[in-house]
Amino acid sequence: MTPEGRRAKDDETGIYVDLPGLVALRHAAAGIADMPSRPGRNFPGGGRASRLRGRGLDFEEIRHYQPGDDVRSIDWNVTARTGRPHVRIFSEERDRPALIVVDQRIAMFYGTRLMMKSVAASEFAALAAWRLLASGDRVGGIVFDDTGMEDIRPHRSEASVIRFLSRIVKRNRMLRADTDVVSDPAMLDRALARAARLAGHDSLVIVVSDFDGASDATREALTQLTRRNEVICALVHDPSALRIPERGRLVAAEGKRRLTLDFADARLRQAVLQFSGARLQRILSWQEEFGLPVLPVSAGEPMLEQAARLFARGPGKARS
């Protein structure tokens, strides 16, 4: 679905991504903080608490104080209770596997302003991958469209991230408005099932999608993932989901079928806004229903600008 008259050249900014561009985001990611765990309740927004952990220490045990131990590690409660000095022992936090699930279905090939949702998802995923690698985590991912999916198992290496990004580029550049591919909403659930098998437990799973076709099965799949892993959803949306211009036309295409929407019709604008707004709020409601962080990612705002906000620098209102 693309604005009427918009050129769809392969090299037009915002229509497609390329590997050099996604690799170049590595330098930008170095200056971005961590993701928030709970974005603000009002869509769109961000949160304050960190979700992506940095390197740190894990508590291991309490033992008797020994000469040479750091006095700052003395556990005074245990010491007072036992009458003998005890210290708390920590071990270095181990790295964790991170899996980024990226949606490149035909429903993502839609944009009315700055970029396609498929491009926004690709750039967000690239920034997250580089940020996680810089934190010392092992990074892998799943890229899926309406016809299939590919996965890269998590590794702590630049080469692994580049392989993952190349899979994103491959699927992204297969998208066409005149494609014969039929939309398959069920691919989202299949990708989540694959993620559950690859992630195992104690992994970070980031799902980057517009969640088109999300159903009760999708919700259940995410619920199951959260029981054994840390899960974050990046809800990719276009500004038209929140605000539609009072004039202009939009052409929707799927295969050989084309539909022109004239937004001079107030009733049409209202109907479209009600439908898109309700769908977004349903996905965002997952935050309250089962504590799943949902980050709103706009295809109408430069990715670095909003990533710097969403990746933990406090709440900020997305632009529409």
Side-chain angles (χ1 to χ4, degrees):
M1 193 167 180
T2 56
E4 187 175 46
R6 183 174 184 173
R7 294 177 297 116
K9 293 182 178 180
D10 286 359
D11 59 352
E12 185 176 358
T13 301
I15 301 295
Y16 296 105
V17 295
D18 58 35
L19 187 57
L22 296 184
V23 171
L25 290 175
R26 179 177 190 174
H27 304 291
I32 295 177
D34 291 339
M35 281 188 181
S37 60
R38 294 186 181 276
R41 292 184 180 182
N42 296 324
F43 176 75
R48 290 186 182 275
S50 173
R51 187 68 171 183
L52 300 189
R53 300 172 300 180
R55 300 304 89 199
L57 299 176
D58 282 335
F59 172 72
E60 187 171 293
E61 64 175 341
I62 294 178
R63 62 163 171 77
H64 293 298
Y65 176 85
Q66 298 176 1
D69 285 340
D70 190 337
V71 294
R72 292 175 296 181
S73 65
I74 293 177
D75 187 311
W76 295 107
N77 289 331
V78 177
T79 297
R81 188 168 64 249
T82 62
R84 297 183 59 186
H86 284 73
V87 293
R88 298 175 67 87
I89 304 300
F90 295 85
S91 61
E92 185 175 354
E93 182 184 88
R94 295 174 296 177
D95 67 343
R96 62 175 171 183
L99 200 64
I100 306 173
V101 183
V102 187
D103 188 347
Q104 292 291 296
R105 292 176 295 169
I106 191 63
M108 296 287 287
F109 196 60
Y110 171 70
T112 61
R113 192 169 302 177
L114 183 63
M115 67 184 88
M116 297 295 195
K117 291 190 293 182
S118 51
V119 170
S122 301
E123 292 186 354
F124 184 90
L127 284 169
W130 289 124
R131 181 67 184 83
L132 288 162
L133 183 68
S135 296
D137 289 316
R138 288 176 281 138
V139 181
I142 297 171
V143 187
F144 70 99
D145 58 19
D146 295 285
T147 62
M149 68 185 77
E150 298 176 85
D151 60 69
I152 299 293
R153 293 185 178 275
H155 294 281
R156 192 171 60 247
S157 72
E158 178 181 340
S160 179
V161 172
I162 292 176
R163 283 196 299 273
F164 170 54
L165 298 183
S166 69
R167 301 300 191 278
I168 293 177
V169 172
K170 172 187 172 183
R171 298 277 174 175
N172 176 264
R173 300 190 75 84
M174 291 168 62
L175 293 169
R176 293 286 187 277
D178 58 354
T179 182
D180 292 328
V181 172
V182 178
S183 176
D184 186 0
M187 282 301 297
L188 173 60
D189 294 341
R190 296 188 191 112
L192 292 176
R194 176 79 65 88
R197 291 193 295 270
L198 287 179
H201 60 85
D202 297 329
S203 296
L204 171 66
V205 180
I206 304 175
V207 185
V208 190
S209 173
D210 66 353
F211 292 91
D212 179 63
S215 62
D216 290 341
T218 307
R219 187 186 184 284
E220 179 60 25
L222 288 167
T223 301
Q224 292 295 333
L225 266 174
T226 59
R227 288 174 181 168
R228 304 183 68 185
N229 301 281
E230 190 174 10
V231 182
I232 298 173
C233 289
L235 173 57
V236 183
H237 70 282
D238 184 80
S240 62
L242 301 170
R243 181 183 301 169
I244 295 177
E246 295 184 1
R247 59 177 58 87
R249 294 181 177 182
L250 207 64
V251 177
E254 183 176 6
K256 297 180 179 179
R257 294 180 296 175
R258 296 175 69 85
L259 174 66
T260 300
L261 304 177
D262 187 351
F263 289 132
D265 185 334
R267 290 176 300 177
L268 175 62
R269 289 200 310 273
Q270 185 62 25
V272 171
L273 281 175
Q274 286 181 346
F275 174 80
S276 59
R279 189 178 69 83
L280 291 175
Q281 290 298 336
R282 181 166 59 87
I283 304 303
L284 287 163
S285 70
W286 291 344
Q287 293 180 177
E288 301 299 330
E289 289 179 18
F290 59 106
L292 177 66
V294 181
L295 307 180
V297 177
S298 174
E301 181 181 353
M303 190 52 59
L304 285 178
E305 200 173 289
Q306 57 184 317
R309 180 177 68 247
L310 291 174
F311 278 40
R313 287 303 183 187
K317 192 171 184 179
R319 299 172 183 174
S320 58

Short mmCIF file of all heavy atoms in Angstrom, two decimals, residues 16 64 67 91 98 106 184-185 197 201 221 223 234 236 244-246 253 255 260-261 264 282 298 314:
data_model
loop_
_atom_site.label_atom_id
_atom_site.label_comp_id
_atom_site.label_asym_id
_atom_site.label_seq_id
_atom_site.Cartn_x
_atom_site.Cartn_y
_atom_site.Cartn_z
N TYR A 16 13.38 0.72 0.37
CA TYR A 16 14.12 -0.50 0.66
C TYR A 16 15.35 -0.18 1.51
O TYR A 16 15.77 0.97 1.62
CB TYR A 16 14.57 -1.18 -0.65
CG TYR A 16 13.45 -1.66 -1.52
CD1 TYR A 16 13.10 -0.98 -2.68
CD2 TYR A 16 12.71 -2.80 -1.19
CE1 TYR A 16 12.06 -1.41 -3.48
CE2 TYR A 16 11.67 -3.25 -1.99
CZ TYR A 16 11.34 -2.54 -3.13
OH TYR A 16 10.31 -2.97 -3.92
N HIS A 64 31.93 -17.02 55.00
CA HIS A 64 32.68 -16.34 56.07
C HIS A 64 33.70 -15.37 55.49
O HIS A 64 34.27 -15.60 54.43
CB HIS A 64 33.42 -17.38 56.94
CG HIS A 64 32.50 -18.27 57.72
ND1 HIS A 64 31.64 -17.79 58.67
CD2 HIS A 64 32.33 -19.63 57.69
CE1 HIS A 64 30.96 -18.80 59.19
NE2 HIS A 64 31.37 -19.94 58.62
N PRO A 67 40.62 -13.00 55.31
CA PRO A 67 41.56 -11.89 55.17
C PRO A 67 41.78 -11.53 53.69
O PRO A 67 41.98 -12.40 52.85
CB PRO A 67 42.85 -12.45 55.80
CG PRO A 67 42.37 -13.46 56.78
CD PRO A 67 41.17 -14.09 56.14
N SER A 91 29.50 -13.17 41.13
CA SER A 91 30.23 -13.63 39.96
C SER A 91 29.85 -12.73 38.78
O SER A 91 28.78 -12.13 38.75
CB SER A 91 29.87 -15.08 39.62
OG SER A 91 28.49 -15.19 39.33
N ALA A 98 20.34 -13.44 22.49
CA ALA A 98 19.26 -12.52 22.10
C ALA A 98 18.78 -12.90 20.71
O ALA A 98 19.59 -13.15 19.81
CB ALA A 98 19.76 -11.08 22.12
N ILE A 106 4.12 -8.73 3.28
CA ILE A 106 3.65 -7.72 2.35
C ILE A 106 2.88 -6.60 3.07
O ILE A 106 2.87 -5.45 2.61
CB ILE A 106 2.78 -8.36 1.24
CG1 ILE A 106 2.50 -7.35 0.11
CG2 ILE A 106 1.48 -8.91 1.82
CD1 ILE A 106 3.73 -6.88 -0.62
N ASP A 184 -0.22 -13.72 4.33
CA ASP A 184 -0.45 -14.87 5.21
C ASP A 184 -0.23 -14.44 6.66
O ASP A 184 0.87 -14.53 7.19
CB ASP A 184 0.51 -16.01 4.85
CG ASP A 184 0.22 -17.28 5.65
OD1 ASP A 184 -0.71 -17.27 6.47
OD2 ASP A 184 0.94 -18.28 5.45
N PRO A 185 -1.29 -13.96 7.33
CA PRO A 185 -1.16 -13.50 8.72
C PRO A 185 -0.62 -14.57 9.65
O PRO A 185 0.02 -14.25 10.66
CB PRO A 185 -2.60 -13.10 9.09
CG PRO A 185 -3.26 -12.81 7.78
CD PRO A 185 -2.66 -13.78 6.81
N ARG A 197 11.43 -22.25 19.97
CA ARG A 197 12.34 -23.40 19.88
C ARG A 197 13.80 -22.95 19.94
O ARG A 197 14.63 -23.61 20.57
CB ARG A 197 12.07 -24.17 18.59
CG ARG A 197 10.73 -24.90 18.57
CD ARG A 197 10.64 -25.89 17.43
NE ARG A 197 10.67 -25.24 16.13
CZ ARG A 197 9.58 -24.82 15.49
NH1 ARG A 197 8.39 -24.95 16.04
NH2 ARG A 197 9.69 -24.25 14.30
N HIS A 201 15.40 -20.93 26.94
CA HIS A 201 15.04 -20.18 28.15
C HIS A 201 16.15 -19.18 28.47
O HIS A 201 17.28 -19.29 28.01
CB HIS A 201 14.81 -21.13 29.33
CG HIS A 201 16.01 -21.97 29.67
ND1 HIS A 201 17.02 -21.53 30.48
CD2 HIS A 201 16.36 -23.22 29.28
CE1 HIS A 201 17.95 -22.47 30.59
NE2 HIS A 201 17.56 -23.51 29.86
N ALA A 221 1.09 -17.44 22.18
CA ALA A 221 2.49 -17.74 21.84
C ALA A 221 3.43 -16.79 22.57
O ALA A 221 4.48 -17.20 23.08
CB ALA A 221 2.69 -17.64 20.34
N THR A 223 2.72 -15.20 25.35
CA THR A 223 2.62 -15.52 26.78
C THR A 223 3.55 -16.68 27.13
O THR A 223 4.25 -16.65 28.15
CB THR A 223 1.17 -15.89 27.15
OG1 THR A 223 0.31 -14.79 26.86
CG2 THR A 223 1.07 -16.20 28.64
N ALA A 234 8.21 -4.65 19.47
CA ALA A 234 8.33 -3.35 18.82
C ALA A 234 7.18 -3.25 17.82
O ALA A 234 7.19 -3.93 16.80
CB ALA A 234 9.68 -3.22 18.12
N VAL A 236 5.46 -1.69 15.02
CA VAL A 236 5.75 -0.78 13.92
C VAL A 236 4.43 -0.27 13.34
O VAL A 236 3.55 -1.06 12.98
CB VAL A 236 6.58 -1.47 12.83
CG1 VAL A 236 6.94 -0.48 11.73
CG2 VAL A 236 7.83 -2.09 13.43
N ILE A 244 -4.99 10.99 9.52
CA ILE A 244 -5.14 10.91 8.08
C ILE A 244 -5.39 12.30 7.53
O ILE A 244 -6.24 13.03 8.08
CB ILE A 244 -6.30 9.97 7.68
CG1 ILE A 244 -5.99 8.53 8.11
CG2 ILE A 244 -6.56 10.01 6.18
CD1 ILE A 244 -7.11 7.56 7.82
N PRO A 245 -4.69 12.72 6.48
CA PRO A 245 -4.94 14.05 5.89
C PRO A 245 -6.36 14.16 5.37
O PRO A 245 -6.97 13.17 4.96
CB PRO A 245 -3.90 14.13 4.76
CG PRO A 245 -3.57 12.71 4.44
CD PRO A 245 -3.66 11.97 5.74
N GLU A 246 -6.89 15.38 5.38
CA GLU A 246 -8.27 15.58 4.97
C GLU A 246 -8.44 15.57 3.46
O GLU A 246 -9.57 15.68 2.97
CB GLU A 246 -8.81 16.88 5.56
CG GLU A 246 -8.89 16.84 7.08
CD GLU A 246 -9.50 18.11 7.65
OE1 GLU A 246 -9.89 19.00 6.85
OE2 GLU A 246 -9.61 18.21 8.89
N ALA A 253 -2.67 -2.00 -2.98
CA ALA A 253 -2.49 -3.03 -4.01
C ALA A 253 -2.09 -4.34 -3.37
O ALA A 253 -1.29 -4.38 -2.43
CB ALA A 253 -1.42 -2.59 -5.00
N GLY A 255 -1.26 -8.01 -5.26
CA GLY A 255 -1.27 -8.74 -6.52
C GLY A 255 -1.84 -7.86 -7.61
O GLY A 255 -1.41 -6.73 -7.80
N THR A 260 -8.35 2.39 -4.65
CA THR A 260 -8.01 3.78 -4.39
C THR A 260 -8.93 4.33 -3.31
O THR A 260 -10.16 4.25 -3.42
CB THR A 260 -8.14 4.64 -5.66
OG1 THR A 260 -7.25 4.13 -6.67
CG2 THR A 260 -7.78 6.09 -5.37
N LEU A 261 -8.34 4.88 -2.25
CA LEU A 261 -9.09 5.46 -1.15
C LEU A 261 -8.99 6.98 -1.23
O LEU A 261 -7.89 7.54 -1.23
CB LEU A 261 -8.54 4.97 0.20
CG LEU A 261 -8.48 3.46 0.40
CD1 LEU A 261 -7.84 3.13 1.74
CD2 LEU A 261 -9.87 2.85 0.31
N ALA A 264 -10.86 12.59 1.04
CA ALA A 264 -11.74 13.76 1.12
C ALA A 264 -13.08 13.37 1.73
O ALA A 264 -13.83 14.21 2.21
CB ALA A 264 -11.94 14.37 -0.26
N ARG A 282 -5.23 -2.57 20.79
CA ARG A 282 -5.33 -3.97 21.21
C ARG A 282 -3.94 -4.55 21.46
O ARG A 282 -3.73 -5.28 22.44
CB ARG A 282 -6.06 -4.78 20.14
CG ARG A 282 -6.24 -6.25 20.49
CD ARG A 282 -7.23 -6.90 19.57
NE ARG A 282 -6.84 -6.81 18.18
CZ ARG A 282 -6.04 -7.68 17.56
NH1 ARG A 282 -5.54 -8.72 18.24
NH2 ARG A 282 -5.73 -7.55 16.29
N SER A 298 7.56 4.25 14.92
CA SER A 298 6.88 4.93 13.82
C SER A 298 7.70 4.90 12.53
O SER A 298 8.91 5.13 12.54
CB SER A 298 6.60 6.39 14.20
OG SER A 298 6.07 7.10 13.09
N GLY A 314 14.00 7.90 28.60
CA GLY A 314 12.81 8.49 29.17
C GLY A 314 11.68 8.61 28.17
O GLY A 314 11.87 8.43 26.97
#
